[in-house]
Amino acid sequence: MAKTGRRTTIKEVAVRAGVTIGTVSHVINGTAPISPETTERVREAVRELDYKPNPMARYMRSKKSRMIGLMIPNLNNSFYSQVASTFMEMADADGYTVLILGYEYSTEREKKELESLVQNNVDAVVVVNGHDDEEAIDRLTRQGISVILADRRMEGRKIPYIQYDNRKILDQVVSMLKEKGYRSIGFISEKLDLTNLQDRFEGYKKVLGAHGYEFRQEHVFISEKLCLDNMRAGYQFTKDLLQGYKKEELPEAFLASSDLLAIGMLRAFLEAGYQVPGDFGVVGYDNLPIAGFVHPRLTTVNQDRELLGKELWRMTRARIEDGIVENVTLQQELIIRESC
């Protein structure tokens, strides 16, 4: 057990593990190859003694704070919380501290938070989504802070990114709806400020023609009202659609930009007396746990959140420690359930 009343020293960890202080430092900081057996012995001693490295001393020695800033669009969204949780767990295991900041889809708030991370001497900043922030990100890179983009890319700048293949999956979605007999397919989303949403919309337009559908602008519903509180916003937005349009004026199937938006739509359709599927079909995006429990169970696009978190951390660490990292594109999977 750890001693009480004072901080355990690295020397005590070394004695417990039967290794040198340098070996303990290499294991904790990942600065040299150490055998798996020795690594496990050191980590066990760290756990038993509840050893906490002194971040200021470490910073003074290496000029690295081993702190990472993680910017996510919305702290209440379970998709982002899963990614953040996986990322933080892996970072912690490698001896890094993660500062998680939510900017709630606000460009101004995002810029403010990015500036605060500079003041915190972070080694790297991971920006999940985000937009209109190029100047703020350029300032980070000029100050030597590594930047990684997640579920997004930035044209014209050599900033590493990880993204999902949002266009390829739409071909599978539209093909499935075609097989089920839907004669028209609409698209509903918050504003297309983010590159992942832009990719989904462009993919939607491209594959319609490939499957014999006509792109109809009147079947596209994009609104700023759908940015936050997606489930409630989707519910109210769909209620308004049903009041403002006749059924035959609406598409028979909808591609929604998120599961929460799609679930809000389901409730509005059912409350209005429509059958889903039957009168309308709905496809979500994310495959959140709740998607398999609503009625009808939601057909959706699965994005592996845990894999995103793991790959994101791998890229971040490689960027910090090696300086070289390749861009990554993750594939997605269509999960067919009962909503279409």
Side-chain angles (χ1 to χ4, degrees):
M1 297 296 292
K3 296 176 176 63
T4 59
R6 67 178 180 83
R7 181 190 292 270
T8 300
T9 67
I10 192 172
K11 181 178 180 180
E12 290 171 316
V13 174
V15 170
R16 174 65 67 90
V19 299
T20 66
I21 292 175
T23 297
V24 174
S25 177
H26 286 314
V27 169
I28 292 173
N29 298 312
T31 50
I34 305 296
S35 72
E37 296 80 6
T38 301
T39 297
E40 180 54 35
R41 203 160 68 244
V42 170
R43 288 180 173 171
E44 184 176 353
V46 167
R47 290 193 295 269
E48 290 176 350
L49 297 174
D50 193 26
Y51 174 64
K52 299 291 192 300
N54 186 320
M56 184 54 68
R58 176 190 285 169
Y59 175 70
M60 293 302 292
R61 289 193 301 272
S62 67
K63 298 304 180 185
K64 289 187 178 294
S65 65
R66 296 184 76 84
M67 289 196 297
I68 312 297
L70 177 60
M71 300 281 299
I72 60 177
N74 183 264
L75 293 169
N76 293 321
N77 188 305
S78 59
F79 177 86
Y80 297 116
S81 62
Q82 173 71 64
V83 174
S85 177
T86 301
F87 182 88
M88 185 167 57
E89 181 179 353
M90 296 192 69
D92 180 70
D94 286 337
Y96 286 79
T97 299
V98 180
L99 305 177
I100 300 178
L101 301 171
Y103 57 89
E104 306 308 305
Y105 294 101
S106 165
T107 300
E108 291 308 311
R109 183 167 174 177
E110 181 191 354
K111 292 177 181 178
K112 180 180 178 180
E113 300 290 16
L114 287 173
E115 183 61 31
S116 75
L117 290 172
V118 175
Q119 306 304 319
N120 278 284
N121 296 313
V122 296
D123 295 331
V125 173
V126 176
V127 182
V128 182
N129 296 141
H131 65 96
D132 294 335
D133 53 7
E134 288 81 1
E135 290 185 7
I137 288 176
D138 286 344
R139 284 197 295 272
L140 291 175
T141 58
R142 284 197 299 268
Q143 297 198 36
I145 298 173
S146 298
V147 177
I148 305 287
L149 302 178
D151 206 11
R152 172 206 182 174
R153 65 189 178 278
M154 189 179 291
E155 306 294 349
R157 289 173 173 79
K158 295 182 179 180
I159 297 178
Y161 61 82
I162 181 170
Q163 64 177 0
Y164 290 106
D165 190 340
N166 284 298
R167 300 194 183 197
K168 183 177 180 180
I169 192 65
L170 267 300
D171 184 73
Q172 297 179 40
V173 174
V174 173
S175 176
M176 177 269 298
L177 292 172
K178 178 76 171 182
E179 290 178 5
K180 288 180 176 291
Y182 289 96
R183 293 173 296 180
S184 56
I185 303 172
F187 185 89
I188 182 167
S189 172
E190 60 267 43
K191 288 177 61 179
L192 304 180
D193 292 323
L194 310 180
T195 56
N196 62 339
L197 296 179
Q198 294 165 13
D199 284 349
R200 292 176 198 176
F201 183 56
E202 291 303 318
Y204 157 77
K205 290 195 296 183
K206 180 178 179 180
V207 301
L208 283 179
H211 292 279
Y213 290 100
E214 176 188 1
F215 171 73
R216 298 174 59 179
Q217 187 63 50
E218 64 269 26
H219 285 174
V220 175
F221 304 93
I222 296 172
S223 174
E224 187 174 1
K225 297 177 181 178
L226 300 172
C227 286
L228 292 173
D229 197 2
N230 303 115
M231 194 182 304
R232 186 183 302 275
Y235 168 71
Q236 187 58 56
F237 191 85
T238 305
K239 284 186 66 175
D240 294 341
L241 280 185
L242 295 175
Q243 292 175 0
Y245 293 83
K246 297 177 181 178
K247 178 181 180 298
E248 57 270 20
E249 294 175 328
L250 293 170
E252 293 184 355
F254 286 86
L255 303 182
S257 61
S258 71
D259 283 350
L260 295 178
L261 171 55
I263 290 169
M265 296 179 68
L266 289 179
R267 178 182 170 188
F269 284 137
L270 296 175
E271 282 188 358
Y274 291 108
Q275 296 295 314
V276 179
D279 295 307
F280 295 103
V282 179
V283 179
Y285 225 102
D286 293 335
N287 194 29
L288 299 179
I290 192 176
F293 291 91
V294 296
H295 178 74
R297 296 188 306 148
L298 183 65
T299 292
T300 184
V301 173
N302 180 56
Q303 301 189 109
D304 192 327
R305 301 176 291 282
E306 184 175 352
L307 178 60
L308 175 58
K310 288 179 177 179
E311 284 293 301
L312 192 52
W313 172 246
R314 182 191 62 77
M315 292 178 66
T316 303
R317 178 168 178 174
R319 183 67 167 176
I320 295 170
E321 299 180 1
D322 302 328
I324 300 174
V325 61
E326 297 292 330
N327 299 326
V328 173
T329 299
L330 302 177
Q331 298 304 312
Q332 301 172 96
E333 179 186 9
L334 176 59
I335 307 297
I336 301 176
R337 296 194 179 105
E338 301 157 358
S339 63
C340 62

